[in-house]
Amino acid sequence: MPALPPFEAVARRRSFAIAATELHLTASAVSHQISRLEADLGVRLFERSAHGVRLSRAGEQYLARIGGALAAISTATE
């Protein structure tokens, strides 16, 4: 699922712009991928405000469930 790395990066960095820089994407591309993931899952993963972004309760639960898998993929890739 291509939206998982952007989801994890935004969750970790608490910023679409910083996550985008880290992933060598535009903030718009990251935002679109997150929106698509939220639509696929049927939940809001982030709470957005003028002060930034933070994980919603559903986002926290989702990150907890996929975090180990993403770490394993990263380790295997290295």
Side-chain angles (χ1 to χ4, degrees), residues 15 19 25 35 48 58 63 69 76:
S15 166
L25 298 170
S35 293
R48 298 154 176 88
L63 182 61

Side-chain angles (χ1 to χ4, degrees), residues 4-76:
L4 294 183
F7 167 73
E8 186 277 333
V10 173
R12 186 169 28 83
R13 298 295 194 164
R14 305 289 195 252
S15 166
F16 283 85
I18 295 171
T21 299
E22 177 181 313
L23 297 168
H24 306 287
L25 298 170
T26 65
S28 178
V30 170
S31 179
H32 286 292
Q33 288 184 349
I34 298 298
S35 293
R36 212 169 307 132
L37 180 60
E38 289 175 325
D40 289 346
L41 296 174
V43 296
R44 295 286 280 173
L45 297 171
F46 293 98
E47 295 175 6
R48 298 154 176 88
S49 73
H51 303 290
V53 63
R54 68 182 198 105
L55 283 168
S56 67
R57 182 169 171 83
E60 289 172 0
Q61 292 171 345
Y62 190 61
L63 182 61
R65 305 251 347 240
I66 68 164
L70 292 174
I73 292 167
S74 178
T75 299

